[in-house]
Amino acid sequence: GESVGLHLPTLSVQEGDNSIINCAYSNSASDYFIWYKQESGKGPQFIIDIRSNMDKRQGQRVTVLLNKTVKHLSLQIAATQPGDSAVYFCAENSPVMYSGGGADGLTFGKGTHLIIQP
Amino acid sequence: DAGITQSPRHKVTETGTPVTLRCHQTENHRYMYWYRQDPGHGLRLIHYSYGVKDTDKGEVSDGYSVSRSKTEDFLLTLESATSSQTSVYFCAISVDSSTYEQYFGPGTRLTVT
């Protein structure tokens, strides 16, 4: 079935370096993508989103890139800090999966664990 | 945290017993969701609600039912808990249907023995 996936389960980076977390999606009908951060014992926390009519969007220290040609999404974190250590999930909307007239559910990837080395 | 609370936060129950998890929000958001999170599967949608008494099934709805009699409360019920339903359950709300942006509660860790 169509799903969102990730290239690497674990990513280890040096403090201060830039981090790049990748995500591949296969649902060509998806037009909205979100990155979430989840710290241990907590619920996912919204980081940044991007619509399919955009290629790039920047936030505070984070940038999301969308390549629709190869169905690839990435999250770049600048100057990685210890507080960035978490599991990062990409998610896509699922307009063809859920009916009901409301906001559609999200389909999540399996997550990448970002580890910060001192 | 978008004013979302979940109760209980932890629960251990036996196979075959009914279990109800509660999600409560304080900001009158229309859309609410229940997800489960398991190692190797990420988060998967169980049920969602788009208004009082309006609910629909998600990806993994078998064995679960939901109810929403008030805007602020969204209940998830396991009629007869099984060990495969051991998981962490997250409630989420959507603040804006046009963006699909969802905010999550702190989660409920359920263990079925």
Side-chain angles (χ1 to χ4, degrees):
Chain A
E2 296 180 315
S3 63
V4 177
L6 291 167
H7 293 307
L8 293 173
T10 302
L11 176 65
S12 183
V13 298
Q14 292 292 124
E15 182 178 348
D17 287 352
N18 296 336
S19 302
I20 300 177
I21 301 170
N22 296 305
C23 179
Y25 67 95
S26 58
N27 188 344
S28 58
S30 296
D31 58 5
Y32 182 78
F33 304 88
I34 306 178
W35 281 100
Y36 283 92
K37 172 186 179 182
Q38 186 176 27
E39 296 174 288
S40 181
K42 297 183 179 180
Q45 177 186 2
F46 174 88
I47 302 174
I48 192 168
D49 59 0
I50 188 168
R51 288 193 174 275
S52 60
N53 61 354
M54 303 172 68
D55 297 323
K56 179 180 180 179
R57 191 170 186 208
Q58 290 183 293
Q60 187 177 15
R61 277 201 312 118
V62 295
T63 300
V64 56
L65 298 177
L66 176 63
N67 185 331
K68 295 178 287 295
T69 300
V70 295
K71 296 179 183 172
H72 184 268
L73 191 69
S74 68
L75 177 70
Q76 300 178 0
I77 305 173
T80 310
Q81 303 169 357
D84 295 327
S85 180
V87 177
Y88 290 81
F89 295 94
C90 61
E92 61 180 327
N93 67 328
S94 305
V96 297
M97 287 181 66
Y98 305 121
S99 61
D104 300 322
L106 294 173
T107 298
F108 285 80
K110 293 181 174 58
T112 292
H113 186 194
L114 180 63
I115 298 171
I116 313 303
Q117 303 286 355
Chain B
D1 62 357
I4 305 169
T5 57
Q6 293 185 232
S7 59
R9 294 294 314 279
H10 301 270
K11 186 172 182 64
V12 180
T13 191
E14 293 184 348
T15 298
T17 60
V19 177
T20 295
L21 308 182
R22 180 184 184 232
C23 177
H24 179 80
Q25 56 139 332
T26 59
E27 299 181 7
N28 287 323
H29 293 297
R30 179 182 174 189
Y31 304 102
M32 299 184 75
Y33 309 82
W34 276 108
Y35 291 87
R36 61 177 289 174
Q37 185 174 35
D38 305 289
H41 289 279
L43 288 110
R44 291 179 292 174
L45 183 66
I46 305 172
H47 281 278
Y48 67 105
S49 171
Y50 46 97
V52 173
K53 292 185 169 50
D54 291 324
T55 65
D56 207 347
K57 296 179 179 179
E59 178 187 359
V60 290
S61 59
D62 288 348
Y64 302 94
S65 62
V66 290
S67 65
R68 192 164 178 206
S69 59
K70 298 184 291 184
T71 300
E72 58 265 37
D73 289 325
F74 191 30
L75 304 180
L76 177 70
T77 297
L78 291 66
E79 300 292 346
S80 178
T82 66
S83 58
S84 65
Q85 294 176 311
T86 293
S87 187
V88 180
Y89 291 86
F90 288 99
C91 174
I93 59 95
S94 181
V95 299
D96 185 340
S97 62
S98 66
T99 65
Y100 306 96
E101 189 174 324
Q102 295 182 13
Y103 292 88
F104 286 80
T108 294
R109 181 172 294 277
L110 176 67
T111 302
V112 183
T113 60

